[in-house]
Amino acid sequence: MGSPLNHKARKRFGQNFLHDPNVIEHIISSIAAKSDQHLVEIGPGKGALTEHLITHAGKLDVIELDRDLVPILEDQFSGHEHFSIHNIDALKFDFSSLLENSSEKLRLVGNLPYNISTPLIFHLLENASIIEDMHFMLQKEVVERMTAAPGSKTYGRLSILVQYLCRAELLFIVPPGAFDPAPKVESAIVQLTPKNQLASSNDMKVQLNGTPADLAFIAREAFSQRRKTLRNNLKKILRNEQITQCGIDSGRRAETLSIDEFVALTNQYVLNLENSNLTE
Ligand code: SAM
């Protein structure tokens, strides 16, 4: 038998367990799971969210790395028919393996382990085509970076990738006291909706010719030295006149560029790669 009382929170697994019933209720009502939906919870811990999700969702898969938590989850939930536990690292998990048919989409939720939040978000974004939406608790600072607009101090590679693929919205802020143990920082719930799920996604005017990984590469290079100009940061990748041909002044800084402008620079970079392959 696994008892939640015997389990000691582990820092290396980013364990901060939710215990505030009002916060839990707010998260559950924001998700509003329905009986015909397939939900996936990342990092269920001792089941604070799971116990509510399981009563609403049609199917619930949970992915938990800490094997000591598995018996605790089994004791509570294994009697439910459409419930499965996967004792595995979410970073290595193949989310498409959960799909029961080609038209099914997954709804992802979780109070995520903060120590792996950015790589996990990148891993999940690779699966955007099979995801209906995501509701995650993250450090407030990470949610602010995801939702930042051009010109703001927190706008960077994460904002560009997330907002290229998803509509991102900060739903509400959660104070440290809602968790046990309490983290040092404030947290926030973010809602991410992949753009292919949105009926009217006309906010993107420029089509990406490369992959999201190409876009991430250009964003990383453009922001490599935040105070420097694009001309400087991109000099090994794009010629000055190629930046200008994209309609962008090469004396600008990366933080002033819209997502469309990043897409235009990426397209130029992909074109250069194709041309260099032709001449090799
Ligand atoms: N959902 C619970 C709650 O709100 O009380 C626990 C949240 S706690 C912040 C994060 C959970 O993610 C822990 O249960 C931890 O063991 C689990 N976890 C950490 N790293 C993980 C990984 N790589 N893959 C899957 N789960 C992980």
Side-chain angles (χ1 to χ4, degrees), residues 13-18 41 43-45 48 63-66 69 88-90 111-113 116:
F13 288 139
Q15 290 176 349
N16 297 96
F17 299 111
L18 267 171
E41 185 185 4
I63 301 162
E64 175 55 62
L65 180 60
D66 183 352
L69 288 170
I88 186 171
D89 184 346
N111 170 14
L112 296 186
I116 57 156

Side-chain angles (χ1 to χ4, degrees), residues 50 72 93 138 176-177 183 187 192 198 220 227 263:
T50 323
I72 296 174
F93 189 70
L138 291 160
S187 305
L192 302 174
L198 297 170
R220 195 186 68 204
R227 313 282 311 159
V263 171

Side-chain angles (χ1 to χ4, degrees), residues 80-200:
H80 290 263
E81 207 182 328
H82 301 293
F83 175 75
S84 311
I85 305 175
H86 307 265
N87 181 207
I88 186 171
D89 184 346
L91 283 170
K92 296 185 186 139
F93 189 70
D94 173 11
F95 286 83
S96 65
S97 69
L98 298 177
L99 295 176
E100 286 173 342
N101 59 63
S102 57
S103 62
E104 193 179 46
K105 298 272 186 258
L106 305 173
R107 298 193 69 200
L108 267 49
V109 307
N111 170 14
L112 296 186
Y114 294 171
N115 49 349
I116 57 156
S117 56
T118 309
L120 187 55
I121 293 293
F122 281 118
H123 177 53
L124 298 174
L125 290 176
E126 283 167 17
N127 291 284
S129 63
I130 57 163
I131 296 174
E132 186 175 329
D133 63 9
M134 305 176 246
H135 288 80
F136 293 135
M137 173 97 75
L138 291 160
Q139 262 174 266
K140 188 180 96 178
E141 178 256 320
V142 174
V143 175
E144 282 170 350
R145 285 203 275 133
M146 285 177 161
T147 54
S152 84
K153 274 200 193 114
T154 45
Y155 185 65
R157 188 171 73 115
L158 188 63
S159 336
I160 291 154
L161 231 348
V162 165
Q163 293 174 40
Y164 171 69
L165 292 165
C166 301
R167 190 181 62 197
E169 205 182 328
L170 186 159
L171 296 188
F172 55 94
I173 290 168
V174 180
F179 306 85
D180 180 29
K184 289 198 177 67
V185 292
E186 282 190 304
S187 305
I189 297 286
V190 68
Q191 179 188 49
L192 302 174
T193 313
K195 290 195 172 161
N196 53 17
Q197 300 299 321
L198 297 170
S200 60

